[in-house]
């Protein structure tokens, strides 16, 4: 849960600033003004540009975040006369001023001579965000490594042409997270650039088990010695990785797939389906030290690799139609924690910022801001302030937008 007690009067902005404090916003102001100056020195002066202020930067973020609540296709819809226009916030800043800030917006204006990392323009922000996540929240013992659902707005997907969809789907990075499975709080973010060079670039992408192993190690670099139990999907699950984690005091439970997983070192007899027909709930087990390989049957064969649960401990999967199906405890735990993450995706993925810039670092930035707001809401729900106002996720987002824009309306929205 949260590591600090927030006051009863804490606002949406107070929770958001646990992760994106004023010093980070002030740095955005400085870097944006530096970039604007350098850009104009190179391409000619821009008479319409005036240096951005901290108040304007907060308003700029507020406009962007508003797209996550109203799901408008373009942030510029706010100033239009159409369905997504928003007269109540459009008056704070003119559209032309907003577009100027959007044009010059930067977090790191210049590349330093030592920089080779593809995300150098956003790395300081990601590091600051990570420090905020670490200091504000203590996760539960059980956590999940996965790629969160950050799909496009479903209404847009239903109405756009196939060509538009293909064009928008080409994201140049993948985003992975380590997530507390009890609360949904995202503890760590890892961004993998698909077009990078070197150890984490294209060569690694061709060897997917190697890539996913590298992603898992990066996500768990702060988890050593804490006896965490990490749940993984088929792309990450492997004997070598789990054994390496066990030496660091990290325990695992993962779903195996002969097609997607690295099955090196696992007995082939357990990876092939038995010829004799099996009934639901039957399972076979092979062990090596603390590691168990479980093959469980339920309308198909499911394989799990774990060193976190005893294979002889019994559990059940409860189905609405067929009732209880017996299974090892590891299978029950895996199903429970993965279903929680699915619920999180259903509830929070629709609040990702709709703005889709062309630059990769900006796409990562808006995804990271969206995750920070979701985390802020999770902390708010666990605080005493929630018992005073009880905002939904949408209302919390609206409050944050109003506070960033400096609107003085403090009455709760119903």
């Amino acid at each position: 849960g949260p590591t600090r007690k927030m006051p009863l009067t804490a606002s949406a902005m107070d929770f958001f600033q646990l992760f994106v404090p004023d010093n980070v916003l002030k740095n955005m102001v400085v870097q944006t003004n530096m970039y604007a100056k350098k850009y104009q020195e190179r391409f000619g002066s821009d008479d319409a540009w005036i240096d951005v202020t901290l108040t304007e930067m907060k308003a700029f973020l507020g406009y962007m975040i508003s797209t996550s609540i109203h799901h408008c296709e373009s942030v510029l819809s706010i100033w239009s006369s159409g369905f997504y226009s928003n007269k109540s916030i459009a008056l704070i800043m003119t559209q032309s001023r907003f577009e100027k800030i959007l044009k010059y917006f930067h977090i790191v204006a210049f590349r330093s001579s030592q920089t080779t990392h593809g995300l150098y323009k956003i790395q300081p922000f990601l590091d600051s965000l990570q420090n905020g996540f670490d200091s504000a929240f203590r996760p539960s013992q059980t956590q999940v490594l996965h790629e969160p659902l950050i799909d496009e707005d479903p209404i847009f997907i239903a109405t756009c042409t196939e060509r538009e969809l293909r064009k928008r789907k080409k994201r140049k990075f993948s985003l992975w997270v380590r997530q507390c499975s009890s609360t949904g709080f995202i503890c760590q973010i890892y961004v993998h650039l698909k077009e990078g060079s070197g150890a984490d670039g294209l060569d690694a992408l061709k060897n997917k088990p190697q890539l996913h192993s590298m992603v898992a190690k990066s996500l768990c670099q702060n988890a050593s010695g804490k006896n965490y139990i990490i749940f993984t999907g088929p792309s990450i699950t492997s004997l070598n990785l789990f054994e390496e984690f066990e030496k660091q005091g990290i325990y695992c439970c993962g779903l195996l797939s002969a097609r997607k997983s690295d099955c090196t070192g696992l007995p082939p007899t357990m990876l092939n389906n038995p010829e004799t027909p099996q009934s639901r709930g039957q399972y076979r087990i092979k062990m090596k030290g603390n590691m168990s390989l479980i093959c469980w049957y339920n309308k198909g064969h499911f394989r799990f690799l774990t060193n976190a649960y005893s294979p002889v401990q019994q559990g059940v999967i409860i189905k609405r139609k067929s009732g209880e199906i017996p299974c090892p405890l590891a299978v029950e735990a895996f199903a429970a924690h993965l279903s929680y993450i699915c619920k999180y995706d259903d509830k929070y993925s629709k609040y990702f910022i709709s703005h889709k810039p062309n630059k990769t670092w900006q796409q990562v930035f808006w995804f990271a801001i969206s995750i920070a707001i979701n985390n802020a809401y999770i902390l708010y729900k666990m605080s005493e302030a929630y018992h005073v106002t009880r905002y939904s996720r949408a209302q919390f987002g609206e409050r944050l937008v109003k506070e960033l824009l400096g609107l003085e309306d403090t009455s709760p929205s119903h």
Side-chain angles (χ1 to χ4, degrees), residues 311-329:
V312 296
Q313 277 189 286
Q314 290 295 308
V316 288
I317 300 283
I318 299 171
K319 297 277 185 184
R320 281 183 195 162
K321 291 181 181 176
S322 48
E324 294 184 352
I325 303 164
C327 65
L329 185 61

Side-chain angles (χ1 to χ4, degrees), residues 131-203:
N131 290 336
F133 291 171
D134 290 342
S135 62
F137 184 81
R138 194 168 50 250
S140 66
Q141 185 186 22
T142 51
Q143 293 160 41
V144 181
L145 304 187
H146 71 122
E147 287 184 274
L149 192 66
I150 47 175
D151 285 343
E152 309 285 357
D153 175 30
I155 296 167
F156 174 76
I157 282 184
T159 56
C160 74
T161 64
E162 200 174 317
R163 184 166 171 268
E164 281 175 322
L165 195 58
R166 274 204 309 273
K167 191 176 167 188
R168 292 168 71 91
K169 283 284 182 185
K170 288 178 183 172
R171 207 180 289 134
K172 293 179 181 176
F173 64 92
S174 55
L175 182 73
W176 294 77
V177 298
R178 175 163 58 86
Q179 189 168 15
C180 168
S181 62
S182 301
T183 59
F185 189 96
I186 288 177
C187 310
Q188 194 158 350
I189 299 172
Y190 177 80
V191 181
H192 171 74
L193 284 179
K194 294 178 181 175
E195 295 185 355
S197 57
D200 59 346
L202 280 173
D203 293 339

